[in-house]
Amino acid sequence: KIARSIGRALSLNEDLIEAIGKYIDFYNNRRYQSRFDSKTPMEVRNEVLGNESPNQYPIAFNPRISKYKESLKNKAQSA
């Protein structure tokens, strides 16, 4: 995914480290997310740090987490 985003194959560790850093910067600072009311994760973070009662953003349902929690519950019941 990262290799496609920069448009060339990565051959050196330095290139990979740089590409990962660029992607993290993009994700945190330039990727607006609908779940955050069209704000970037960094904008939401800064808003939370500077406010005693920050906005609450819902956490999207994740079926893998639900399945994992159910397996933990089943293990606890069978123990």
Side-chain angles (χ1 to χ4, degrees), residues 3 14 16 32 48 58 62 67:
E14 293 83 14
L16 179 60
Y32 296 96
V48 168
N62 186 325
K67 185 177 177 181

Side-chain angles (χ1 to χ4, degrees), residues 49-74:
L49 291 175
N51 194 337
E52 289 188 25
S53 57
N55 291 342
Q56 297 292 315
Y57 296 97
I59 297 173
F61 175 75
N62 186 325
R64 291 186 305 178
I65 292 173
S66 295
K67 185 177 177 181
Y68 174 71
K69 287 181 178 180
E70 187 66 30
S71 72
L72 291 177
K73 183 179 171 182
N74 291 337

Side-chain angles (χ1 to χ4, degrees), residues 8-25:
R8 64 183 174 87
L10 298 174
S11 59
L12 300 174
N13 285 339
E14 293 83 14
D15 289 339
L16 179 60
I17 291 168
E18 182 181 346
I20 291 170
K22 286 180 179 181
Y23 183 78
I24 291 170
D25 178 66

